[in-house]
């Protein structure tokens, strides 16, 4: 399951696709997916200037017009297939009859190609995207997205900690240690004590040498450290609250960290009882929110 979709859109008259591009982007957003649409006006038979893009492993769909200046869309598709790219291709035109597009595709033996008139292009794109998303929204793929996504957030939080640690005084560093220690003592009663060293000196050594990620700190503990540092550095409260949601969640909604634990330790049959299309949308949106928030928190000029 993905949080973004990359679409390569090839049309020599991009003014004609502005409205359709916007509508397809909104359709993806309804699923919690960030649209990343690249539009290209000119492509030759050697695939200039899209050689790098068609080799992008994150590319999801290619959309291409039939009439492309000195070449035609089917010739470009042939070259794309020759380069071992078998992504779905939506082939469209308003300048020729659809029958001719079908004949062109059949003659060139192009597989994995969906044909549409320009007037019905948006509906065709939505249909293809919807079928791809449906295949992705399984418990298996959601598990993969959560494990990878939470691990990436954890790694970025670690970088954030290391950066913030250099900005605070020695006394403030002790405040961080004592704050996390107090939280550890409070949670010990529920047998969920964050793992931190017994001495401030050891704790400071781990952070200052950027070794805390290699030590037995939990994701929860690292977030507690980051949250306290953000508070001391007077980062915007709204951004601190977003990061806090990563481990605490919201009323009626589990945090991403807890969802990750569910999908990591429950069977598919157990997960099926609460797995749904809406949960997939919520997970995508939560992951995107955390990634964007951490990037803004790492910016020294965050306001």
């Amino acid at each position: 399951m993905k949080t973004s979709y990359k679409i390569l859109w090839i049309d020599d008259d991009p003014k004609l696709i502005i409205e359709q591009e916007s509508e397809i982007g909104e359709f993806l957003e309804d699923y919690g997916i960030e649209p990343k649409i690249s539009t290209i006006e000119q492509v030759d038979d050697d695939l200039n200037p899209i050689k790098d893009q068609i080799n992008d492993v994150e590319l999801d769909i290619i959309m291409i017009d039939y009439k492309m200046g000195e070449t035609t869309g089917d010739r470009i598709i042939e070259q794309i297939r020759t380069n071992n790219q078998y992504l779905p291709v939506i082939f469209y035109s308003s300048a020729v009859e659809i029958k001719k597009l079908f004949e062109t595709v059949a003659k060139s033996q192009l597989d994995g190609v969906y044909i549409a008139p320009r007037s019905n292009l948006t509906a065709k794109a939505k249909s293809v995207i919807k079928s791809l998303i449906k295949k992705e929204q399984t418990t298996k793929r959601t598990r993969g997205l959560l494990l990878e996504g939470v691990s990436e957030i954890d790694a970025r939080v670690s970088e954030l900690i290391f950066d913030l640690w250099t900005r605070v005084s020695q006394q403030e560093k002790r405040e961080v240690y004592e704050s996390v220690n107090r939280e550890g003592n409070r949670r010990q009663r529920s047998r969920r004590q964050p793992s931190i060293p017994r001495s401030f000196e050891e704790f400071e050594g781990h952070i200052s040498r950027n070794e805390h990620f290699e030590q037995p700190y939990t994701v929860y503990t690292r977030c507690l450290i980051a949250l306290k540092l953000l508070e001391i550095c007077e980062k915007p409260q709204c951004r601190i609250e977003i990061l806090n949601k990563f481990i605490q969640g919201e009323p009626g909604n589990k945090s991403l960290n807890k969802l990750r634990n569910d999908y990591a330790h429950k069977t598919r049959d157990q997960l099926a009882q609460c797995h749904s299309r809406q949960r997939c949308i919520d997970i995508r949106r939560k992951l995107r929110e955390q990634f964007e928030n951490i990037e803004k928190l790492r910016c020294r000029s965050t306001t």
Side-chain angles (χ1 to χ4, degrees), residues 191-238:
R191 298 181 181 180
R192 297 180 63 186
Q193 179 183 9
S195 49
I196 61 172
R198 292 183 178 275
S199 71
F200 167 72
E201 288 72 23
E202 186 179 0
F203 176 79
E204 182 189 23
H206 290 164
I207 306 298
S208 60
R209 294 192 300 269
N210 202 21
E211 294 176 352
H212 56 95
F213 195 69
E214 301 171 5
Q215 302 297 325
Y217 293 79
T218 64
V219 173
Y220 188 94
T221 304
R222 277 191 283 272
C223 275
L224 288 180
I225 296 169
L227 288 166
K228 185 60 180 178
L229 283 168
L230 290 168
E231 179 186 324
I232 291 172
C233 293
E234 299 184 336
K235 290 289 185 175
Q237 187 60 35
C238 62

Side-chain angles (χ1 to χ4, degrees), residues 161-176:
I161 290 171
F162 182 62
D163 180 46
L164 294 172
W165 195 252
T166 63
R167 308 191 207 176
V168 299
S169 68
Q170 195 71 5
Q171 179 57 39
E172 289 169 331
K173 291 174 182 178
R174 285 188 175 275
E175 288 179 23
V176 173

